[in-house]
Amino acid sequence: MFSLPSAATICDIQAQEPIQLLEAELKRGLKTYKKQKPPIYYLSYTYSELLVRNLWVYAGGVASKSEQEKRSLSVLARAGNTKMDNSRYLKGESKKDYVAYRSMPLGGKAFSIALWDATQRAVKSAQEVLSQVQSNNQVASERADDSPDFVMPPVSVYCRHEEYAPIDMQKIEDLLKEASLSVRGNKIVLGSSFDFFQKQGHTYFLDSNGTKLKTPVNLGRISYSVWGEKADGAYIERSNSYDIISPEGVPSLETLVADVKKSLAELEALFHAPDAEPLTAPAILKNKAMGVFVHEILGHRVEGHRQKIDSFGKTFTDKLGQQIMPSFLSIVDDPTLAYFKNIPLRGFYEYDDEGVKAQPVTIVENGVLKNFLMNASPIKGFPVSNGHGRASLGNSPVARMGVTRLVSSQSVSYEELEKMLIEKVKEQGKPYGFIIEDLSGGFTQTDSFAPQTFKLEPTLVYRVYPDGKKEVVRGADLVGTPLVSFSKILATADDDDVFNGNCGAESGWVPVSAIAPSVLLDSIEVEKTAKSSSKPPQLPPPFSLPERGNK
Amino acid sequence: MKKILFILVSFVTAFALQAAALPDNVYFRAMKDEMDRTLKEYRIEKGPELFYLAYKLEFNQKAEAGASFGKRFPFDQSENLRIMVQANVGSYKNDSLGFFSDTRRYKGITLASHTYEGIRQSLWQVSDRQILKQQKSYEEKQAYKKQKQIKKDNFYDFAPIKPSSYVEELTEFMPPAQDHLEKLAEKLSTQGKDYSFIENFETYILVSKTTKFFLNSEGSFSQYSVPKVMVIFRGKVRHEKGYVFYPQEVISFSALTPERETLLEQKADEFLQKLLVFHKAPMAEAYIGPVLFKPSEAGVLIARGLDLSNITPFLDSMNDTDPSASPLRDKVGMRIMSPGINVYDRPLLREYKGTKAGFSPMDDEGVLAQDLLLVSKGKLKNLPLSRRSGKRGKSNGHGFAFSDQPRENTTTLVVEPENPLSQKELEEKLLARCRELELEYCYIAHDDSLFERIDMKSGKREFVLGLDMTYSAKRALRDILATGDDFNLENGVIVPSLLVDEVELEPKEMIPERKPLIPRP
């Protein structure tokens, strides 16, 4: 599945100016840093050169736009030794390790001075935080998992340069302006937003272990959302996005307008829809929604570093080798996957943010928990990284997902899955079942002091009656617990699709993908969504009546 | 003195062009149409009437270049259109404003798309929330007045006025070319490379233009632009004893010219000299006595001591009295400064000696701003007034702060002493006073907490560090012994050096930092 874009070339890492400057500064100070008390035993630099473009359009015009070259640096220093260093989570306190972050001047001596300044800050902070870790270790209770805080990543040297085909910004602006006018005249829409975001460039990584990397960064997205509000305060929204890594990926105006019109029809259906009632009933989670479900409910709970944090809920820590879902299901996180069905995957990367080569990790095999996602912070039974240490610049990496895929060994067509849903509804004597078409997000409790529950916020839900009739409902939230929910999966369809998104956690926002088929759940609990106390605007939108025209 | 007055007059005549017709552009068309619709169609059932609506649009355009030690940072260029709405319900006699409730957090601002349709949509959305907020505020204000037994008086809550206008022709934003700005930033920051004790030296050049459009339901409107160039020097210096300082200097112009670019090179050099002072100057000890405030510090003193913002206290559901109201509001006729000092407020001043001033030809209540004599021979003569000033008088065009509730405020304060002294005379006066008090040293306060210490025996002058100034600004205004003639626009005030009779200087609690483990490259 993985293929390098055609314009990419393998380059000479030593010929890269940023690598030369980073290496020179690292070499200049490393001996001294290692002699300190406590010693700095590991140092890494992550430097990125990116062109970042933002465009926000609505009502046929630009609300804001910017185009900026960004040159940013993160310096991570580790004080102490691999057994105990400044990255450790303090018991009863928040994590305090520190990454120095700053904007960088363009090369030369100025670059080196800025690098030196950031390094001094990182080193100083690492030493200070280590002393806090040491005191905390003296006074806190014994750790359940006393694995080392760090394992030296293997040495990698890799250089790939990518020439990006330029995207015509005027064309994008015109496209979004034109598409945004297709909302005009709709009485339900209280607001809309059409956006373009692009980040292109390269990231350089160098550490004291000898790893030197240059890898491309290429993310782009066109997205839109339309929203409204009922008199009772119920908020309704539909949105869509298109991931773009080359000019060919930009949707045509016809496609975009057709999708907006579909979203408007769904918004209108939601506006007139009845409120959901609390009920436990069989449900289909459609493919993209299921992708989010796997990511939120299981994915974050199998991130390796969490298994040794004593305040973490540890739902799966002791479930290795045990059946945690039906045997026809497997889950793999494979960041080396660049495309799926020609859709570019945002979660793709070649090396993680600790310089470890990305690799596929089978988390669940035939329903049995096999692995955790690991960064360079070992846990019991998992002494090395499997290339999942990720962070946004300015944060220290932890284990995160990349491209998470739910794979089924026995699938039926989606039509068959719907028939099975209706059968289940009849069998359980329920008035109706649910199809969860789309999820906007949600939250899941993973701290040990709180119940290990989740709440997901669908944006489009259908009731499916025993006679096959479908009806949109609004204000339905999904609630449950992880172990029960996965055991309730009865069947899957053969309609795998991609959810591309951004995931936020303690190491910042990272791009992720989730691929899943639609699944049939024996039952899921639906509860009512909270409504806003504010009422919708008293006057209709100024252009809700087409005859008002434009000036 | 004559020089100041000449500059003031020249700017007023050049720019204060009045126009009666609403400008024909997308901003005013959108504002007018949405305002007409809202006033015609918005109905508050069983509630107070919407009787006043005002819109303000601010189109911000900016380009920013930066550099460190001669190498550029990424260039930044952006633009946005901010929309603000002010609504008032009830009546001119009894309205919803002038009251703080728990809804004060909603500011009524959003970004808008740059089309007729986009502007109207944003105005519609923000207006609806503002009107709802004012409805709530009105009910709460009535309940509060009843509870506190506040009786009706003959003054308006919000005084009606005749409409007025101020319109300037719109011009295109033409910042210098990106390459030119980047090269200039590099040039200004390059000199620091040769000083190893300078750990960081950055220069930023921000060129911007804000075009403001105002329209209210009474027919007042304004349209004008405020161009601005801001140059920032930022440094990090380690003192020989390990203290780390982060000096900064901000220079603002209304435009960048070749002469000013040359001046900036000189300023960059002066800033580097200042960094050298922070590296080597001795740490000073405590002091009580006269201090000569250079214009940069004098501007801070005047702004603090002559606080004429918020003249009319608001009713406040959280406090018995409004803590934000000006302490000078009831002191008209009293001496608040040393005799022989006059202070004006000049809202029509665009710049002074090239530095951008707080140009505000029309206030945020639709009243043309007027020049004011605030302090005459040391006595408080007039107050800045808004349409909410009630018993204190009619508005003189000083109701500002659109995003929240407009309140009285000043624009550019101009200090005009009757007998300014030359620098030499002023310093002689300082030294004479120190001798009279039998002091060992005498002090001159510069910006960035930098003090010049004069040894009274040897006459030796040197910069010293590590002092904080402690004084009551209100008291200090009455203790001004003399003023200089070195006028500058600093901190929103055109002010010369001021000699204050008694100020306390206290050593700062400072902890030296560990030296870098390896030297700077």
Side-chain angles (χ1 to χ4, degrees):
Chain A
M1 284 290 197
F2 168 57
S3 66
L4 295 179
S6 56
T9 51
I10 298 301
C11 46
D12 174 8
I13 195 75
Q14 283 307 135
Q16 308 301 312
E17 194 199 357
I19 288 289
Q20 290 166 2
L21 293 168
L22 295 172
E23 191 168 23
E25 188 54 27
L26 187 84
K27 277 187 178 165
R28 200 170 72 92
L30 197 60
K31 265 189 189 171
T32 309
Y33 303 145
K34 282 187 171 173
K35 281 183 200 158
Q36 298 301 307
K37 288 182 181 173
I40 299 299
Y41 75 94
Y42 178 85
L43 202 59
S44 73
Y45 293 136
T46 306
Y47 169 66
S48 71
E49 289 181 340
L50 302 170
L51 178 67
V52 180
R53 290 165 158 154
N54 276 292
L55 175 65
W56 172 30
V57 165
Y58 77 88
V62 174
S64 75
K65 67 174 169 183
S66 65
E67 181 171 315
Q68 196 187 17
E69 286 173 20
K70 282 185 183 282
R71 293 189 290 273
S72 317
L73 172 79
S74 273
V75 183
L76 190 149
R78 290 181 177 269
N81 53 47
T82 54
K83 179 72 185 154
M84 186 195 287
D85 71 18
N86 51 302
S87 71
R88 182 174 292 191
Y89 280 76
L90 303 182
K91 278 204 165 193
E93 294 178 47
S94 57
K95 193 168 183 273
K96 286 183 177 164
D97 73 324
Y98 174 76
V99 172
Y101 172 80
R102 62 164 295 160
S103 178
M104 295 294 282
L106 184 64
K109 190 172 177 182
F111 185 99
S112 298
I113 295 173
L115 186 57
W116 163 79
D117 178 58
T119 308
Q120 299 312 305
R121 281 193 284 135
V123 165
K124 184 168 175 269
S125 172
Q127 291 176 321
E128 285 170 3
V129 174
L130 178 66
S131 67
Q132 292 175 32
V133 169
Q134 286 165 334
S135 341
N136 184 269
N137 197 48
Q138 295 288 325
V139 297
S141 54
E142 207 171 283
R143 299 195 320 156
D145 182 343
D146 201 28
S147 299
D149 287 337
F150 189 60
V151 57
M152 285 290 178
V155 175
S156 299
V157 177
Y158 179 73
C159 185
R160 186 160 76 84
H161 180 84
E162 197 165 326
E163 287 297 331
Y164 303 104
I167 282 207
D168 184 343
M169 279 304 289
Q170 191 56 52
K171 194 177 155 192
I172 299 269
E173 188 177 316
D174 293 343
L175 173 75
L176 295 190
K177 280 178 177 172
E178 193 62 34
S180 70
L181 291 175
S182 57
V183 175
R184 182 195 284 166
N186 191 301
K187 291 180 184 177
I188 288 165
V189 176
L190 295 185
S192 62
S193 174
F194 291 74
D195 305 274
F196 174 68
F197 170 78
Q198 191 184 38
K199 190 156 68 168
Q200 280 184 332
H202 294 86
T203 294
Y204 301 83
F205 178 90
L206 180 125
D207 73 6
S208 53
N209 213 21
T211 291
K212 295 171 201 174
L213 306 168
K214 176 184 180 180
T215 49
V217 175
N218 187 9
L219 294 171
R221 170 174 275 197
I222 281 178
S223 58
Y224 70 81
S225 65
V226 288
W227 61 89
E229 191 181 348
K230 292 271 289 182
D232 63 1
Y235 177 79
I236 50 175
E237 181 181 356
R238 298 300 300 137
S239 59
N240 206 351
S241 63
Y242 312 82
D243 285 281
I244 298 159
I245 56 169
S246 66
E248 297 76 48
V250 177
S252 68
L253 179 63
E254 292 71 31
T255 304
L256 194 53
V257 169
D259 286 350
V260 172
K261 285 190 172 159
K262 182 169 174 268
S263 296
L264 291 173
E266 288 167 351
L267 195 75
E268 190 147 1
L270 279 168
F271 189 83
H272 297 294
D275 278 340
E277 295 298 329
L279 182 74
T280 301
I284 286 176
L285 267 172
K286 287 291 285 286
N287 38 31
K288 287 185 182 183
M290 186 60 196
V292 177
F293 189 85
V294 171
H295 176 100
E296 294 291 347
I297 312 309
L298 181 122
H300 282 300
R301 288 184 162 83
V302 294
E303 289 164 341
H305 69 286
R306 298 189 195 287
Q307 315 306 322
K308 64 178 177 185
I309 302 171
D310 289 309
S311 61
F312 179 63
K314 300 181 183 174
T315 310
F316 295 110
T317 308
D318 299 320
K319 294 275 186 293
L320 270 176
Q322 293 182 29
Q323 194 84 31
I324 59 165
M325 59 182 66
S327 58
F328 58 90
L329 294 175
S330 297
I331 298 177
V332 179
D333 193 278
D334 185 1
T336 67
L337 211 58
Y339 298 90
F340 182 79
K341 292 181 180 171
N342 289 327
I343 301 168
L345 299 173
R346 288 171 71 83
F348 160 75
Y349 58 88
E350 292 165 274
Y351 284 83
D352 76 3
D353 297 312
E354 292 177 319
V356 178
K357 195 169 171 48
Q359 51 190 276
V361 173
T362 301
I363 302 167
V364 175
E365 190 173 50
N366 300 327
V368 176
L369 181 65
K370 289 285 184 184
N371 275 304
F372 293 109
L373 300 176
M374 296 299 299
N375 71 319
S377 178
I379 57 171
K380 259 184 211 165
F382 293 86
V384 294
S385 167
N386 53 31
H388 282 79
R390 305 189 68 195
S392 57
L393 277 179
N395 292 292
S396 58
V398 297
R400 303 286 292 271
M401 287 165 271
V403 177
T404 314
R405 186 170 183 196
L406 176 69
V407 184
S408 173
S409 60
Q410 54 184 64
S411 303
V412 297
S413 68
Y414 180 74
E415 292 70 30
E416 186 60 30
L417 201 71
E418 275 201 11
K419 283 182 192 161
M420 291 167 75
L421 169 69
I422 292 168
E423 286 309 311
K424 268 287 154 197
V425 170
K426 288 178 185 167
E427 186 185 311
Q428 292 180 15
K430 298 289 181 184
Y432 47 78
F434 297 102
I435 295 176
I436 314 301
E437 187 77 31
D438 200 1
L439 288 173
S440 68
F443 63 90
T444 178
Q445 310 251 34
T446 59
D447 284 326
S448 56
F449 62 81
Q452 298 301 296
T453 55
F454 65 80
K455 181 165 185 162
L456 297 174
E457 294 155 353
T459 51
L460 188 60
V461 175
Y462 293 92
R463 280 178 189 156
V464 183
Y465 290 89
D467 61 0
K469 185 188 133 199
K470 285 184 194 167
E471 178 188 39
V472 177
V473 287
R474 64 181 156 81
D477 280 352
L478 305 182
V479 291
T481 52
L483 289 174
V484 171
S485 299
F486 278 98
S487 69
K488 298 269 183 186
I489 298 175
L490 297 175
T492 62
D494 55 3
D495 60 346
D496 297 43
D497 205 351
V498 176
F499 174 86
N500 271 325
N502 291 313
C503 172
E506 67 270 50
S507 66
W509 289 91
V510 295
V512 292
S513 303
I515 305 167
S518 300
V519 304
L520 173 62
L521 294 165
D522 182 60
S523 66
I524 196 153
E525 190 169 339
V526 165
E527 64 178 32
K528 280 176 180 283
T529 308
K531 288 179 182 173
S532 161
S533 61
S534 68
K535 58 180 183 182
Q538 195 196 80
L539 292 184
F543 297 93
S544 60
L545 301 173
E547 63 269 24
R548 284 188 192 277
N550 197 1
K551 282 197 184 183
Chain B
M1 182 67 56
K2 281 177 186 169
K3 193 177 172 187
I4 301 173
L5 289 174
F6 171 74
I7 292 167
L8 298 181
V9 171
S10 68
F11 281 118
V12 171
T13 50
F15 294 103
L17 304 171
Q18 295 239 352
L22 204 61
D24 182 26
N25 58 43
V26 67
Y27 309 102
F28 278 101
R29 282 198 293 276
M31 287 198 288
K32 174 92 173 58
D33 290 354
E34 192 54 27
M35 188 174 278
D36 287 349
R37 181 178 87 110
T38 306
L39 291 169
K40 187 178 163 200
E41 297 177 17
Y42 202 101
R43 291 288 166 268
I44 304 172
E45 280 177 35
K46 297 176 191 167
E49 280 297 305
L50 170 67
F51 76 96
Y52 177 84
L53 204 53
Y55 298 149
K56 190 171 179 178
L57 311 186
E58 281 185 4
F59 182 35
N60 304 297
Q61 298 163 285
K62 71 158 191 175
E64 185 179 4
S68 175
F69 295 111
K71 288 286 182 179
R72 63 192 62 179
F73 282 123
F75 190 77
D76 189 7
Q77 188 152 13
S78 64
E79 61 179 50
N80 64 53
L81 180 65
R82 275 175 19 124
I83 277 190
M84 290 161 266
V85 174
Q86 185 69 67
N88 201 351
V89 306
S91 66
Y92 286 103
K93 279 273 180 192
N94 184 17
D95 74 359
S96 57
L97 296 172
F99 176 72
F100 286 141
S101 71
D102 61 353
T103 56
R104 72 164 84 173
R105 277 169 298 173
Y106 180 64
K107 301 280 187 192
I109 311 176
T110 192
L111 290 182
S113 148
H114 221 117
T115 57
Y116 171 81
E117 194 163 319
I119 294 167
R120 281 194 63 179
Q121 281 212 11
S122 294
L123 288 170
W124 158 68
Q125 282 165 343
V126 180
S127 298
D128 187 86
R129 289 193 64 189
Q130 268 290 9
I131 296 167
L132 277 177
K133 174 186 163 179
Q134 293 311 324
Q135 277 179 257
K136 186 169 182 283
S137 182
Y138 179 86
E139 300 300 345
E140 286 177 0
K141 185 177 170 185
Q142 303 314 310
Y144 179 86
K145 283 162 85 174
K146 196 172 174 184
Q147 187 194 356
K148 298 281 181 184
Q149 298 180 327
I150 297 170
K151 289 178 184 166
K152 283 184 183 174
D153 55 30
N154 289 326
F155 297 103
Y156 286 100
D157 271 1
F158 188 62
I161 53 155
K162 284 183 183 169
S164 52
S165 62
Y166 179 91
V167 175
E168 287 177 8
E169 285 293 312
L170 296 182
T171 54
E172 208 176 321
F173 178 54
M174 303 278 279
Q178 176 178 340
D179 191 51
H180 179 81
L181 281 180
E182 288 183 326
K183 279 183 176 155
L184 179 60
E186 286 184 335
K187 193 173 180 183
L188 295 175
S189 73
T190 201
Q191 298 173 56
K193 275 197 292 193
D194 304 326
Y195 300 88
S196 62
F197 62 88
I198 299 176
E199 297 187 4
N200 193 24
F201 181 39
E202 296 172 0
T203 302
Y204 295 92
I205 305 168
L206 174 73
V207 182
S208 68
K209 183 171 150 183
T210 301
T211 306
K212 301 181 182 194
F213 307 91
F214 171 89
L215 176 69
N216 73 11
S217 53
E218 295 159 334
S220 289
F221 56 90
S222 66
Q223 171 184 288
Y224 61 95
S225 297
V226 182
K228 185 176 175 182
V229 176
M230 201 155 75
V231 179
I232 302 166
F233 296 117
R234 211 175 270 162
K236 178 184 175 189
V237 188
R238 194 173 298 266
H239 188 268
E240 286 173 335
K241 289 187 176 167
Y243 306 115
V244 177
F245 294 98
Y246 297 88
Q248 178 173 298
E249 184 153 348
V250 180
I251 301 156
S252 72
F253 298 130
S254 54
L256 203 56
T257 60
E259 296 74 34
R260 284 172 187 165
E261 289 184 16
T262 310
L263 176 71
L264 284 172
E265 285 178 50
Q266 190 189 322
K267 291 277 182 189
D269 199 46
E270 286 170 15
F271 186 72
L272 281 171
Q273 293 310 313
K274 191 199 273 188
L275 296 185
L276 186 62
V277 169
F278 276 102
H279 175 56
K280 279 196 173 291
M283 309 304 281
E285 289 167 2
Y287 168 85
I288 301 174
V291 170
L292 177 60
F293 287 62
K294 296 301 265 185
S296 55
E297 279 305 300
V300 176
L301 166 63
I302 297 290
R304 279 190 201 155
L306 198 59
D307 177 9
L308 289 165
S309 60
N310 307 340
I311 296 299
T312 309
F314 276 13
L315 301 177
D316 191 335
S317 60
M318 312 288 178
N319 301 287
D320 284 339
T321 53
D322 175 3
S324 64
S326 169
L328 297 172
R329 63 187 183 274
D330 295 319
K331 296 193 171 77
V332 174
M334 294 184 192
R335 190 170 73 81
I336 60 163
M337 295 183 82
S338 297
I341 296 179
N342 302 318
V343 182
Y344 294 85
D345 186 62
R346 307 279 195 199
L348 297 175
L349 190 64
R350 280 183 179 268
E351 63 173 24
Y352 179 74
K353 289 184 181 175
T355 304
K356 185 193 156 293
F359 178 64
S360 306
M362 179 180 276
D363 75 0
D364 291 328
E365 294 177 329
V367 182
L368 288 172
Q370 301 162 26
D371 280 2
L372 286 179
L373 172 61
L374 296 170
V375 178
S376 173
K377 297 181 189 300
K379 287 186 178 173
L380 184 61
K381 189 83 177 166
N382 291 298
L383 296 169
L385 298 176
S386 74
R387 294 171 66 179
R388 312 201 61 76
S389 297
K391 67 179 182 184
R392 290 179 178 83
K394 279 187 180 176
S395 171
N396 47 33
H398 282 77
F400 295 107
F402 197 91
S403 59
D404 205 338
Q405 300 188 40
R407 300 190 73 177
E408 300 91 346
N409 213 340
T410 51
T411 55
T412 302
L413 295 176
V414 182
V415 176
E416 292 190 4
E418 292 183 344
N419 298 301
L421 303 179
S422 69
Q423 284 310 286
K424 196 178 166 201
E425 290 169 330
L426 192 64
E427 285 193 12
E428 276 169 7
K429 188 141 191 163
L430 166 73
L431 296 174
R433 182 67 179 139
C434 288
R435 266 193 296 273
E436 190 184 332
L437 294 167
E438 296 177 349
L439 294 169
E440 192 180 351
Y441 297 108
C442 232
Y443 280 84
I444 299 173
H446 294 257
D447 58 351
D448 265 329
S449 299
L450 208 56
F451 292 87
E452 201 176 342
R453 185 171 66 182
I454 305 165
D455 188 317
M456 294 303 292
K457 277 185 190 157
S458 65
K460 184 188 165 195
R461 301 168 81 115
E462 64 181 340
F463 281 102
V464 292
L465 299 169
L467 291 173
D468 268 335
M469 266 203 290
T470 315
Y471 60 87
S472 156
K474 279 190 289 175
R475 174 71 244 177
L477 293 185
R478 299 195 294 274
D479 287 346
I480 296 171
L481 295 176
T483 61
D485 60 359
D486 51 345
F487 296 90
N488 246 340
L489 176 48
E490 302 278 359
N491 202 33
V493 187
I494 295 173
V495 63
S497 293
L498 301 173
L499 174 57
V500 178
D501 195 30
E502 187 175 283
V503 172
E504 287 185 40
L505 302 181
E506 292 174 352
K508 281 183 195 173
E509 288 295 324
M510 294 174 73
I511 300 165
E513 286 189 21
R514 182 181 81 181
K515 282 187 179 170
L517 296 176
I518 59 169
R520 202 193 82 173

